[in-house]
Amino acid sequence: MRNFNIVRKNQKRLVKVKKKKKNRIFKSKKNRYILKSIDFSLLKDFQLKSAIRIMKQLLKKAGKLIIHVHPWVGITKKPLEVRMGKGKGSKIEYYAYPVRPGKILFEIESSNINLIYEVYKIALSKLRLRGKIYIV
């Protein structure tokens, strides 16, 4: 009998190949600006949290932030000074999100263009990946 309470550890591939889904963009009447990734990356949960926190602080009530990425891959790590072998590591160190080129990361609805460019510039510096800003 299989125990379904145990969380399965993910293999250490950067991106699992799945069926490609179209990026969903929320439709509204206001101006929308999206941030798309240009290269492959593995976004860690603390990188995403810090970027989101700073974006919310800068936007305040000037715009609406929509988040399209949520970390779901558990990354394990062995403790220090442990010998080689004997399994993969017991505890999940952090969660991550594998990003492919062309993935929409964030979406902002606002009319203030200068503020949006500043917000995305700071967010990209926190995320450590290359991205492009598109007007939809």
Side-chain angles (χ1 to χ4, degrees), residues 35-132:
L35 181 67
K36 262 190 181 182
S37 66
I38 295 176
D39 55 352
F40 287 98
S41 181
L42 194 68
L43 292 180
K44 300 174 182 175
D45 58 352
F46 53 86
Q47 290 175 337
L48 276 169
K49 283 178 186 175
S50 65
I52 290 166
R53 184 169 42 90
I54 287 178
M55 289 168 78
K56 283 183 179 176
Q57 283 176 0
L58 290 174
L59 279 175
K60 294 179 185 171
K61 293 185 179 181
K64 183 181 176 185
L65 176 67
I66 300 164
I67 304 160
H68 287 276
V69 292
H70 302 284
W72 59 273
V73 178
I75 307 293
T76 58
K77 189 176 180 183
K78 283 195 167 192
L80 292 173
E81 300 179 8
V82 174
R83 295 186 179 182
M84 297 287 285
K86 304 210 172 154
K88 187 174 176 177
S90 59
K91 293 185 179 177
I92 292 178
E93 191 74 17
Y94 58 87
Y95 286 90
Y97 184 85
V99 178
R100 287 180 164 185
K103 173 67 182 166
I104 294 175
L105 303 174
F106 302 108
E107 188 177 340
I108 293 179
E109 289 180 1
S110 180
S111 58
N112 191 348
I113 299 167
N114 297 330
L115 176 67
I116 290 170
Y117 276 95
E118 184 185 336
V119 166
Y120 277 151
K121 185 179 170 186
I122 294 170
L124 282 173
S125 69
K126 290 286 180 187
L127 295 176
R128 298 186 183 185
L129 66 94
R130 293 186 310 149
K132 241 183 181 178

